[in-house]
Amino acid sequence: MRALLGLDDDTAVMIRQLACTEPGCPPLETVVVVLPMEGDARRWTLHRPADQITEDDLRAALLAAEQHD
């Protein structure tokens, strides 16, 4: 995520794998949060375990978020 967004070392990136409790959701989801020193935090949820997420999955999540903005 850091490379895809061109983030500097001062920007925190948190990745958490959580149990998904919403109906129809896979049992595990991964939440990626970017916390820059300046500006707003950004968040993406991917509906799969962290160890199954690829760079293509991250790229698709970024593109989907851009289309909704």
Side-chain angles (χ1 to χ4, degrees):
M1 187 59 84
R2 187 173 296 284
L4 288 173
L5 292 173
L7 302 175
D8 59 30
D9 290 340
D10 292 332
T11 300
V13 177
M14 291 188 335
I15 300 172
R16 299 214 33 187
Q17 182 173 278
L18 307 167
C20 185
T21 58
E22 297 176 23
C25 184
L28 292 175
E29 66 182 10
T30 301
V31 177
V32 179
V33 180
V34 173
L35 302 162
M37 295 293 284
E38 303 277 331
D40 296 330
R42 296 186 292 180
R43 177 183 176 201
W44 298 268
T45 301
L46 296 97
H47 295 284
R48 61 178 49 191
D51 64 352
Q52 294 179 10
I53 294 175
T54 66
E55 185 174 332
D56 288 338
D57 295 327
L58 293 174
R59 193 174 286 113
L62 292 173
L63 288 173
E66 287 177 5
Q67 292 175 354
H68 287 103
D69 289 343

